Amino acid sequence: CKMRIHLVDDDRAVRDAFKFVLELDGMAVQTWESGVLMLRDGDLLAADCMVLDCKMPDLDGFAVVRALADRQVKLPIIMITAPVTDAIRRLAQSIGVYCVLEKPLLDGILSAAVRDAILN
């Protein structure tokens, strides 16, 4: 059974690239261009992990994490952003984000983080 990933990023090129990389590694990936659309249309219980952009219009990644918590959705979340600051890391950790990765990502980093998040 494939690992099921929800991927939310407002940048189409980033979304497409990450989807390609994760699917190449045998994962099933569903994408959204915003947290608003994902929260409205996504089957939140159908994911094993979420890859979430931090800086997006409408709802930023932190607001999405809080909305998931409000709905009692518990899944590992990997936040992606650039640059990663200590403040972002601290805030992400305080609301239960599994890890924060800095864009652009080197080959293999995202898939490895997703596998770690799901298996830990």
Side-chain angles (χ1 to χ4, degrees):
C1 120
K2 287 186 174 188
M3 294 178 179
R4 297 159 308 169
I5 314 306
H6 280 14
L7 171 61
V8 186
D9 196 304
D10 59 311
D11 183 325
R12 174 181 286 284
V14 170
R15 235 179 14 252
D16 290 350
F18 288 172
K19 179 177 169 69
F20 178 77
V21 164
L22 293 171
E23 286 180 341
L24 211 59
D25 279 339
M27 300 177 198
V29 182
Q30 191 167 5
T31 64
W32 289 270
E33 65 190 59
S34 77
V36 173
L37 291 175
M38 186 274 304
L39 289 165
R40 188 183 70 208
D41 302 334
D43 180 351
L44 302 179
L45 302 177
D48 298 307
C49 183
M50 182 175 293
V51 177
L52 179 62
D53 187 17
C54 182
K55 297 173 186 154
M56 296 183 289
D58 301 327
L59 286 182
D60 70 10
F62 296 112
V64 172
V65 173
R66 290 186 187 101
L68 292 170
D70 288 346
R71 297 174 189 199
Q72 266 87 64
V73 175
K74 295 187 186 334
L75 78 162
I77 297 171
I78 295 168
M79 197 170 274
I80 50 176
T81 192
V84 174
T85 63
D86 286 343
I88 288 172
R89 251 186 234 289
R90 277 195 302 275
L91 181 53
Q93 191 174 25
S94 76
I95 61 173
V97 169
Y98 180 76
C99 68
V100 181
L101 300 177
E102 189 159 34
K103 296 182 199 175
L105 301 180
L106 298 173
D107 284 355
I109 296 280
L110 183 58
S111 293
V114 166
R115 286 184 201 288
D116 285 351
I118 291 171
L119 300 174
N120 283 336

